[in-house]
Amino acid sequence: MLMENKAIPYGRQNITKEDIEAVVDTLRSDYLTQGPKIQEFEEAFAEYAGSKYAVAVANGTAALHLCTLALGVKVGDKVITTPITFAASANCVRYCGGEVVFADIDPETYLLDINSVRKLLSEAPKGTYSGIIPVDFAGRAVNLEEFKQLAKEYDLWIIEDACHAPGGFFTDSQGEKQICGNGNFADLAIFSFHPVKHIASGEGGMITTNDEALYQKLLQLRTHGIVKNDDLYQNSIEFAGGDENYPGWYMEMQDLGYNYRITDFQAALGSSQLKRADEGLARRREIAQKYFDEFRNENFIKGQSGVVEGHAYHLYIIEVEDRLGLYNYLRENKIFAQIHYIPCHLMPYYRSLGWKEGDFPKAENYYRHCISLPMFPTLTAEEQEFVISKVKAFYSE
Ligand SMILES: Cc1ncc(COP(=O)(O)O)c(C=O)c1O
């Protein structure tokens, strides 16, 4: 059979002729970096997410770091997140010397369980925690309205890690669709444009917000903490070498920032990909529906992503017994399923900070059974049939 020889990864980028032309046009332009494509990408992305502002950066991890810096996370600040996420969601707190406090997941949604968070908050004196980083894991949107209520009560900020969920949404208590990253409930939201994500720019990331002060801070921190604005300078005109005004060359580094810029040609690729984001999302939803329909009545399925309104399906996850057997069997058939994620609190680095097995039974149980099946817009119907047939074949043997 034709399929037997073709490798099927769990995720894959899709680069079109238009994408290539957008990059090549930028390479032929006057700018490789800090040119007009960055702002174009930011404006288009803000419109897509429904936020006031967007700041494009080098990658999703840089986006997270800039968020914790902009929010002023400092040594000893305690921030709550989920153990079922990519390590960067937690690491951004550590970059600023803060303390990561994990809370267990909801085994139905695989998302940070608001009741676990509520319990943590209620058991400590008010002021113990600074913020929460909920993750739209696998593309399923967190109900941020509920988290916002909690955040208000305990005076916490929220960073939404929406790396998996551009275009995803949850429906709020008024029946309104709340798009991931629209800034209505979270202070800041971040996205990644790594090739397996919905929108690929090579490496790349984006922060969205509705808060102007945070937006200005992010712009400054993205470029070394440099300010270029006569009204904001702290040194005198005389020192700067001007007469009546600051001279044209003058700028000030007022904070310890970084070089977390994205290049113009990456931004051009991101913008070009963004134009097809809805198309890709629709296809992801079709693929999810097919997996769900095929697996819903199978005894070997202990849980699965399922069909959920607003899910952006970065991943389609099934939970099974003998996950190792299935994983190896799929590999023998050149189907490269993946595991998302090894619980973050059990990474040796976080174990060295005191976390241990048994801390989060639901997350740990999920990890023992989860496997992410191929999910990307260009997965063909034939390829998906092949994946489904091999999963079923493994459990019927
Ligand atoms: C949930 C989550 N957060 C953050 C990141 C970090 O993004 P990047 O790889 O662009 O640094 C990723 C990327 O894999 C992710 O999946």
Side-chain angles (χ1 to χ4, degrees):
M1 189 178 158
L2 180 70
M3 282 288 101
E4 308 279 348
N5 291 318
K6 199 173 162 202
I8 309 178
Y10 85 90
R12 177 196 277 155
Q13 75 274 21
N14 175 29
I15 301 293
T16 63
K17 197 166 133 282
E18 289 74 24
D19 291 340
I20 293 168
E21 279 166 8
V23 173
V24 170
D25 283 352
T26 310
L27 291 175
R28 290 206 173 101
S29 78
D30 290 338
Y31 297 95
L32 281 186
T33 189
Q34 289 178 280
K37 293 293 165 192
I38 295 171
Q39 203 180 337
E40 266 174 44
F41 187 29
E42 290 173 339
E43 284 170 7
F45 197 87
E47 196 183 329
Y48 186 70
S51 66
K52 270 198 196 154
Y53 308 104
V55 179
V57 292
N59 53 63
T61 306
L64 282 161
H65 188 194
L66 285 184
C67 288
T68 48
L69 285 167
L71 289 163
V73 175
K74 55 186 191 315
V75 176
D77 282 3
K78 287 186 163 62
V79 177
I80 301 168
T81 193
T82 168
I84 299 299
T85 187
F86 185 62
S89 316
N91 294 350
C92 63
V93 176
R94 301 293 302 146
Y95 297 155
C96 297
E99 207 180 299
V100 181
V101 180
F102 296 100
D104 214 344
I105 62 162
D106 174 340
E108 292 297 314
T109 62
Y110 310 149
L111 304 176
L112 180 63
D113 176 22
I114 192 155
N115 294 321
S116 311
V117 176
R118 189 175 285 121
K119 188 163 181 286
L120 268 180
L121 293 169
S122 67
E123 284 172 356
K126 260 200 178 166
T128 301
Y129 295 93
S130 313
I132 316 177
I133 307 180
V135 180
D136 299 316
F137 170 65
R140 185 167 179 149
V142 169
N143 186 325
L144 287 177
E145 188 183 24
E146 291 173 0
F147 273 97
K148 178 68 187 174
Q149 277 162 10
L150 208 53
K152 257 193 196 154
E153 205 179 314
Y154 287 90
D155 195 19
L156 309 170
W157 48 253
I158 298 176
I159 300 172
E160 175 188 10
D161 183 337
C163 281
H164 295 183
F169 65 85
F170 73 94
T171 303
D172 71 12
S173 56
Q174 307 299 308
E176 297 286 325
K177 284 182 185 172
Q178 298 289 346
I179 309 270
C180 295
N182 71 5
N184 286 347
F185 300 104
D187 299 270
L188 295 158
I190 70 107
F191 297 84
S192 161
F193 307 126
H194 177 275
V196 294
K197 304 294 196 298
H198 293 55
I199 297 158
S201 67
E203 298 285 356
M206 191 73 80
I207 307 166
T208 57
T209 184
N210 291 340
D211 182 317
E212 196 191 345
L214 284 175
Y215 170 63
Q216 295 297 343
K217 192 85 201 154
L218 292 168
L219 292 179
Q220 186 191 343
L221 291 170
R222 175 177 66 177
T223 302
H224 305 281
I226 288 173
V227 168
K228 195 151 176 50
N229 181 340
D230 285 11
D231 297 334
L232 300 177
Y233 293 145
Q234 294 169 13
N235 286 327
S236 66
I237 294 177
E238 189 188 8
F239 163 79
D243 35 34
E244 278 166 24
N245 296 306
Y246 286 95
W249 70 76
Y250 194 68
M251 54 82 175
E252 281 182 359
M253 193 208 96
Q254 296 185 344
D255 247 321
L256 187 62
Y258 294 79
N259 175 358
Y260 280 165
R261 293 186 300 262
I262 192 170
T263 63
D264 246 39
F265 51 95
Q266 286 170 310
L269 179 55
S271 285
S272 179
Q273 292 250 318
L274 181 58
K275 291 184 189 143
R276 297 196 308 282
D278 281 338
E279 209 179 289
L281 195 54
R283 177 70 190 124
R284 284 175 186 273
R285 288 178 174 151
E286 247 173 48
I287 293 168
Q289 180 77 55
K290 170 85 179 159
Y291 279 138
F292 177 69
D293 291 343
E294 291 284 348
F295 293 138
R296 65 196 306 177
N297 295 320
E298 296 289 350
N299 286 334
F300 62 81
I301 294 287
K302 307 287 166 215
Q304 61 173 327
S305 293
V307 172
V308 179
E309 205 198 16
H311 202 309
Y313 296 108
H314 166 53
L315 304 172
Y316 196 91
I317 296 156
I318 58 174
E319 290 177 89
V320 292
E321 296 296 346
D322 192 11
R323 186 261 312 269
L324 176 63
L326 176 63
Y327 175 83
N328 286 335
Y329 178 77
L330 292 178
R331 281 182 88 82
E332 281 162 25
N333 287 284
K334 296 203 179 138
I335 297 167
F336 296 95
Q338 255 302 0
I339 306 306
H340 299 93
Y341 287 99
I342 300 161
C344 197
H345 69 289
L346 298 177
M347 289 292 175
Y349 173 75
Y350 283 101
R351 283 186 195 247
S352 78
L353 298 176
W355 299 99
K356 57 186 188 316
E357 271 164 78
D359 281 343
F360 304 109
K362 290 170 191 151
E364 291 165 34
N365 183 56
Y366 161 83
Y367 168 61
R368 280 190 284 275
H369 302 288
C370 67
I371 182 163
S372 307
L373 299 178
M375 168 57 85
F376 49 93
T378 53
L379 182 74
T380 65
E382 189 188 11
E383 285 170 332
Q384 192 183 9
E385 289 288 359
F386 181 68
V387 172
I388 291 164
S389 72
K390 289 297 168 191
V391 172
K392 288 184 178 177
F394 177 73
Y395 288 102
S396 63
E397 270 169 13

